[in-house]
Amino acid sequence: MLSARSLFQEILDHDDSYQLFCSIAASGEAQGGWENGRIAALVPEAMHELAPKITRHGADEDKHGRIFNALLKKRGLEPVDVPPDTDYTMLLEKHGIGLAHDKLRRDERLTENDIVVYLSHSRVTEQRAADQMDMLVKYFGGHPEVGKAIRQICNDEDNHLAYCHEELLRLAYAGHGRTIQRTLRECALTEIAVYRDVSLAVMFHMGRLLNWPKPKSAALAAGIRAMYVYERAGGWRRMVSLTMPERRDALGGPATAAPAF
């Protein structure tokens, strides 16, 4: 029977698939770390109070990249090149989600609208990250090899999501509500399509490495497409609601260390 638990267990047990999984994850986290670092450096003066929180966000993402690389090293593996069709972060940028890298490479202050857009996009993508980590903790939080890493990253992702909710609500009260509402919807509808395509690509590459039979690959692809249909029909709405989080000022301090990694 196919399940998220059995699927990830199979990927975890095979060196080649585990190597690809950790490499994809490390690459995405490193990109997120760079993006947040540049955004923090370019925050408009009127929103300077956000800079330390965005810096903390980027430091967490960098830390997650190091954790995934450490998991590879622990098994005696090296990172591998990430197939372009599995690069979630870059594909989102290609579809207009997130601030363009060309803009972030310039030493020009961002606008207040740029920050509103950045936080709106982050609210959507951090929802995806938090959902994925919650699932992994549920099934593998006690795993001797990856459990500690998964639990730590999951806690950070919950902090990131709480920070997005709190800051967007503050900006909505300050008069940016319509922009936030529109951007959240546009981003969510684009993200679910990109996530579908990336998931199909990842499963294709995993199937090749693990020699999955065609019926198994077809069943997994059908499940991914069915999830997209559900999200397109209304599941995307969970990614755009805003509620004041229980964790207030979740990114108000320095990034936590990961000495074990």
Side-chain angles (χ1 to χ4, degrees), residues 27-257:
S27 175
E29 298 287 359
Q31 289 182 54
W34 177 84
E35 290 172 1
N36 279 279
R38 289 302 299 156
I39 292 167
L42 301 174
V43 167
E45 187 60 34
M47 306 176 84
H48 66 91
E49 73 283 353
L50 276 176
K53 297 179 181 181
I54 300 172
T55 298
R56 161 75 183 275
H57 191 176
D60 282 345
E61 302 288 1
D62 283 335
K63 177 183 69 178
H64 298 168
R66 294 195 301 272
I67 288 175
F68 282 113
N69 282 322
L71 290 175
L72 285 173
K73 185 177 181 180
K74 186 176 181 181
R75 198 181 280 197
L77 301 171
E78 294 292 330
V80 296
D81 291 338
V82 174
D85 56 356
T86 68
D87 195 330
Y88 173 78
T89 304
M90 294 307 296
L91 288 171
L92 284 175
E93 186 198 358
K94 183 179 178 181
H95 286 79
I97 302 303
L99 299 180
H101 284 190
D102 286 346
K103 175 178 286 191
L104 296 181
R105 291 189 182 98
R106 297 195 296 266
D107 290 325
E108 298 176 6
R109 288 285 179 184
L110 298 171
T111 66
E112 289 191 25
N113 188 70
D114 287 333
I115 300 302
V116 170
V117 169
Y118 149 71
L119 283 168
S120 298
H121 291 170
S122 294
R123 187 265 176 270
V124 171
T125 56
E126 291 298 338
Q127 182 70 59
R128 181 71 70 186
D131 289 348
Q132 289 181 319
M133 295 314 302
D134 283 344
M135 181 270 292
L136 289 176
V137 166
K138 177 181 178 180
Y139 296 131
F140 295 95
H143 192 279
E145 184 175 11
V146 301
K148 186 172 184 179
I150 288 171
R151 294 195 306 273
Q152 183 160 13
I153 294 172
C154 184
N155 182 68
D156 288 344
E157 299 297 0
D158 287 343
N159 282 337
H160 299 168
L161 188 57
Y163 144 78
C164 290
H165 276 268
E166 185 172 6
E167 296 302 331
L168 283 171
L169 284 171
R170 183 177 63 80
L171 288 169
Y173 296 145
H176 296 281
R178 288 187 177 180
T179 299
I180 291 170
Q181 186 178 42
R182 183 184 70 253
T183 306
L184 284 172
R185 185 180 188 280
E186 292 172 352
C187 180
L189 292 175
T190 300
E191 191 279 342
I192 62 174
V194 170
Y195 182 72
R196 173 203 59 198
D197 294 344
V198 169
S199 297
L200 289 170
V202 170
M203 288 302 101
F204 169 79
H205 291 287
M206 291 300 177
R208 179 177 52 81
L209 293 172
L210 295 168
N211 295 313
W212 285 340
K214 288 184 178 180
K216 180 174 182 176
S217 295
L220 288 170
I224 291 169
R225 292 190 176 96
M227 176 57 71
Y228 170 73
V229 170
Y230 159 75
E231 291 195 324
R232 189 66 181 81
W236 60 273
R237 297 183 187 281
R238 79 186 189 285
M239 309 174 89
V240 304
S241 61
L242 293 175
T243 56
M244 189 57 70
E246 293 183 8
R247 300 187 186 194
R248 303 294 293 274
D249 196 25
L251 297 188
T256 55

